Amino acid sequence: MHGSTVRVDVGMRRIPHNFSPSRQTGAAAIEFALVFVIFFAVFYALVTYSLPLLLMQSFNNATAEAVRQSVAISPSANDYLTRVPAQAKAALTSQLSWMPTSLAFNVASDATVSFDGKLIKVRIDYPKSKLTQVLPVLTLPVIGDVPNLPTSLSAEASLQLAP
C-alpha cells in the first residue's frame, strides 16, 4: 500500500449554473414569511386567550367565595338582609384585588348581588369593551378576530338557604 494514490475527482459532476444557492435566496424569504404568519397567529392566540381564561377562572372563584362568606353571617344578626349583600361585595373586592387597574374592574358596576332572605345570587358581567382596551383584537384573514370573545365574561354563583 505504500505509494498508492487515490483519485477523488472521478464521478464528480459539475452543478449546472441555474441551481446555484445564490439564486435560491428569494425562496427562503417566502417560506419564512408563510411560516411566520402561521406561527405568529398561533402564538398571539395563545397569549390573548390566556387572559380571558384567567379572568373567567378568577370570576368563578370570586363569586363562589362571596356566596360562601355571606352565608357565614348569622340569620339572627341585626340588619341581616343588608349585611349579606355587603359581605358578598366585600368578598368580591377582596378576591379580585389582584386585578390591575388597567382592566378597569369595578365591583359596583360589574357585579350584582341579590338577596331576598332565601336566595343569594352573586353575578359578575365583565364587558368585552373593557378587556379590549388592554388586549387588542387582531383581525386575521380566514380566521377572523383573535381573540374572538363573547360580549361579556360572566360568572354566577347562587345558594338557596334552608327555611
Side-chain angles (χ1 to χ4, degrees), residues 41-52:
V42 169
F43 179 75
Y44 189 78
L46 179 71
V47 170
T48 57
Y49 278 108
S50 64
L51 181 60

Side-chain angles (χ1 to χ4, degrees), residues 47-119:
V47 170
T48 57
Y49 278 108
S50 64
L51 181 60
L53 289 174
L54 173 67
L55 289 176
M56 283 301 302
Q57 182 64 30
S58 297
F59 293 160
N60 284 321
N61 184 46
T63 55
E65 186 62 27
V67 168
R68 269 189 233 109
Q69 287 186 20
S70 61
V71 169
I73 296 174
S74 172
S76 62
N78 292 339
D79 61 348
Y80 177 67
L81 292 176
T82 57
R83 286 184 66 190
V84 170
Q87 177 61 34
K89 287 185 180 186
L92 284 176
T93 302
S94 172
Q95 288 291 310
L96 298 173
S97 63
W98 66 267
M99 292 177 64
T101 56
S102 59
L103 290 173
F105 179 80
N106 186 357
V107 172
S109 62
D110 298 329
T112 56
V113 177
S114 63
F115 181 59
D116 63 2
K118 293 182 182 179
L119 177 69

Side-chain angles (χ1 to χ4, degrees), residues 116-135:
D116 63 2
K118 293 182 182 179
L119 177 69
I120 182 165
K121 189 184 293 186
V122 179
R123 182 174 177 82
I124 295 176
D125 286 309
Y126 184 73
K128 176 183 176 179
S129 60
K130 287 186 177 182
L131 187 59
T132 56
Q133 290 175 353
V134 176
L135 187 70

Side-chain angles (χ1 to χ4, degrees), residues 21-32:
S22 64
R23 294 182 58 122
Q24 298 292 317
T25 56
I30 291 171
E31 290 170 0
F32 173 77

